Amino acid sequence: MKVKAPESFTYIGGKRAVLLLHGFTGSTGDMKKLGKYLNDLDYTCHGPLYSGHGVSAEELAKTGPKEWWQDVVNGYNFLKEEGYEEIAVVGISLGGVFSLKVGIELPVKGVVSMCAPTQGKSIDRQKNRLLNYAQAYKKFEGKDADQIAAEVKLLEEEPMPQLKDVLNIINETGEDLDLITSPTLVLQGRLDDPDYTESATAIFNEVDTQHKHLIWYEKSGHIITLGKEREQVYEDVYKFLNTLNWSE
């Protein structure tokens, strides 16, 4: 069965623009509901799909974080070129890392980081995430268990130097959090892995702004935009965006 690949999305609203960033092995589907929620409340929302994402794991493995970061920058520039002078950025997981990196390198009204790591500790963890994605994608394609196992084994044997680049971009961003001076909101699922929950506190402590908040979701894991408390997540993001110093 041919799988329809997700796409970048743009929901046109008012003058206030939000860049929405998904994670590694994720897709714009992780951010679309949040985008629609904010758009219904008059925000313009753009969610870029990173290179290699939303397609096979074999294609994803041919890309790396330098390309994905360029996709983020291109998404930011797209909003600028469309006439949106004021942009906030919201990201989850590696997209949360990218949202922090945007806050470090580009002018933004505010930064929302959701379940973002600040230390890249394990290439094996990244590889397992890619292999798990491969299994799920191939199952969705309708392949049988033997074919899936054989194809995943071939993929597992492939060298993946870009996975080290993933760790590097996480670590580099984590080291520069004090360069973020924009208002910052940190959202974190309490049921997420300890690396992420510890990172949430580190982000909150290290960004160099008095306008910052950390919110925990007691019943949520990693992808909180699709979890049990997603409606509260959407509301909290909206409330934070409304506190920013937007031009009238």
Side-chain angles (χ1 to χ4, degrees):
M1 179 178 71
K2 186 172 177 59
V3 179
K4 186 180 185 303
E7 299 175 336
S8 300
F9 65 85
T10 306
Y11 303 139
I12 302 297
K15 293 190 297 182
R16 300 174 176 182
V18 184
L19 183 64
L20 295 166
L21 305 174
H22 67 80
F24 174 53
T25 73
S27 77
T28 48
D30 295 340
M31 304 300 283
K32 269 191 167 183
K33 288 183 178 179
L34 173 57
K36 288 178 179 176
Y37 179 93
L38 295 175
N39 182 242
D40 286 342
L41 295 165
D42 205 32
Y43 282 88
T44 290
C45 296
H46 176 63
L49 180 70
Y50 311 150
S51 302
H53 284 71
V55 290
S56 71
E58 287 80 2
E59 289 300 308
L60 175 54
K62 294 175 184 177
T63 66
K66 292 179 182 177
E67 292 159 271
W68 311 335
W69 169 246
Q70 188 58 54
D71 294 328
V72 170
V73 174
N74 291 345
Y76 177 94
N77 288 335
F78 167 79
L79 288 170
K80 285 286 188 181
E81 289 161 7
E82 291 296 305
Y84 297 97
E85 294 298 324
E86 298 181 316
I87 301 169
V89 60
V90 181
I92 193 162
S93 195
L94 185 62
V97 175
F98 285 150
S99 74
L100 295 167
K101 188 170 170 62
V102 170
I104 292 166
E105 298 190 14
L106 298 168
V108 284
K109 299 301 291 185
V111 175
V112 181
S113 168
M114 301 184 287
C115 305
T118 57
Q119 291 187 325
K121 296 180 179 178
S122 170
I123 289 177
D124 287 342
R125 173 182 287 188
Q126 304 300 329
K127 190 163 190 176
N128 286 338
R129 181 170 293 179
L130 182 63
L131 295 175
N132 289 338
Y133 171 73
Q135 288 184 319
Y137 189 90
K138 293 173 187 299
K139 185 175 181 181
F140 191 60
E141 286 182 301
K143 294 178 178 178
D144 64 40
D146 289 342
Q147 185 178 4
I148 291 172
E151 291 182 4
V152 170
K153 188 173 188 302
L154 281 175
L155 182 62
E156 187 175 6
E157 293 168 356
E158 288 289 320
M160 298 183 190
Q162 73 277 20
L163 295 180
K164 185 175 182 181
D165 294 336
V166 174
L167 302 189
N168 289 341
I169 205 165
I170 292 170
N171 289 329
E172 288 165 5
T173 304
E175 290 167 3
D176 289 339
L177 293 172
D178 61 334
L179 299 179
I180 297 174
T181 57
S182 300
T184 301
L185 175 64
V186 183
L187 305 181
Q188 180 61 53
R190 185 74 75 176
L191 304 181
D192 205 353
D193 289 342
D195 285 353
Y196 295 101
T197 56
E198 291 167 10
S199 292
T201 303
I203 295 165
F204 176 77
N205 287 338
E206 292 177 32
V207 294
D208 189 16
T209 174
Q210 295 302 308
H211 186 164
K212 58 183 178 180
H213 307 278
L214 170 58
I215 301 176
W216 296 91
Y217 300 93
E218 300 298 328
K219 301 175 183 177
S220 297
H222 191 54
I223 304 299
I224 58 176
T225 51
L226 300 178
K228 290 181 179 179
E229 297 167 286
R230 59 186 179 276
E231 293 293 337
Q232 187 61 54
V233 171
Y234 305 162
E235 184 179 333
D236 290 337
V237 172
Y238 174 67
K239 285 179 178 177
F240 170 75
L241 293 174
N242 277 358
T243 68
L244 304 180
N245 186 28
W246 303 94
S247 299
E248 292 302 326

